Amino acid sequence: VGHHAQITHELVFEAKNLPALGFTTFFVTKSNTKSTVENGKAVATNAAGDLLLKGHNFEAVVDHKSGQLKAISRAGKSHQVAQSWAYYPGKHSSAYEFCPSGGSVDLSGGSKLIHSAQFEGFAEVTVQVNEWIWQTMRVYADRDYVELDQTIGPVADGDHISKEVITRFTTDLKSKGVFYTDANGRQDVRKCFL
């Protein structure tokens, strides 16, 4: 089931007062005193049984079986959202070059919800897309975004095909082809389709 099944603990904390373009070091040490480990509570659901992750001024709706994001509601309006996974067979791609040798191959069919929990300040959902793709979706109560953390690999290579793995979001938003990405910590990089 991949290395995700071997993870027994995850530390989540909010780092405050970080210096601009700087860093702060945090140390985690084992203590001999007993402490409370929060396992989380059940995530709220709607009438259909889908999970409701509530952020600041928005709500994310997650399918209760596949764990996939279905919609985001804000200010009384709901927008459909679909995430899919695929790979492009590659020739000699590298970290700086994308050289596909054909069309994309869909990987989205077998997604399943592995874990969901509501903690103090945030809710999270973990999804297994296939044997080598995992995603944790986290929504913080005081934030206006959905955080996605993907773990990909080791990528199946028994077929001797190089794979360029992608995720694609489809929405009903009328954005005129404009979207924003967060690449290497540079938040809100504006991009558009021409």
Side-chain angles (χ1 to χ4, degrees):
V1 186
H3 70 281
H4 232 77
Q6 300 168 4
I7 297 172
T8 59
H9 293 79
E10 182 176 13
L11 176 64
V12 178
F13 65 96
E14 183 175 7
K16 295 184 178 186
N17 302 320
L18 295 176
L21 298 176
F23 70 93
T24 299
T25 304
F26 297 92
F27 295 96
V28 178
T29 59
K30 186 174 181 178
S31 171
N32 290 330
T33 61
K34 286 193 171 195
S35 64
T36 305
V37 175
E38 186 177 354
N39 292 321
K41 301 172 187 159
V43 174
T45 58
N46 62 15
D50 292 326
L51 307 175
L52 303 175
L53 308 181
K54 297 181 184 195
H56 182 70
N57 295 325
F58 81 97
E59 183 174 77
V61 180
V62 176
D63 184 272
H64 67 284
K65 291 182 182 173
S66 69
Q68 294 296 314
L69 186 60
K70 290 175 72 172
I72 293 181
S73 300
R74 182 177 180 152
K77 293 184 180 180
S78 182
H79 295 283
Q80 301 303 308
V81 180
Q83 181 182 15
S84 60
W85 291 87
Y87 73 84
Y88 285 92
K91 292 180 184 176
H92 59 276
S93 299
S94 69
Y96 305 102
E97 255 184 326
F98 176 58
C99 301
S101 61
S104 65
V105 177
D106 184 55
L107 297 170
S108 300
S111 272
K112 62 182 175 182
L113 178 68
I114 299 298
H115 165 79
S116 66
Q118 177 71 52
F119 298 97
E120 183 178 337
F122 71 94
E124 72 177 18
V125 171
T126 300
V127 176
Q128 182 180 8
V129 177
N130 64 15
E131 302 83 37
W132 41 272
I133 299 176
W134 296 74
Q135 176 174 273
T136 298
M137 178 186 320
R138 201 170 275 143
V139 174
Y140 295 91
D142 62 347
R143 301 285 195 269
D144 281 330
Y145 57 82
V146 176
E147 177 183 289
L148 300 174
D149 180 25
Q150 293 100 8
T151 302
I152 301 173
V155 176
D157 62 356
D159 54 8
H160 304 291
I161 297 173
S162 173
K163 295 172 179 69
E164 297 286 347
V165 179
I166 63 136
T167 188
R168 180 179 292 129
F169 291 91
T170 307
T171 74
D172 61 0
L173 289 171
K174 306 295 184 235
S175 67
K176 298 180 182 169
V178 176
F179 62 102
Y180 295 85
T181 63
D182 176 5
N184 296 325
R186 297 175 297 158
Q187 291 188 358
D188 298 334
V189 177
R190 185 179 190 269
K191 297 184 179 183
C192 62
F193 291 109
L194 298 177

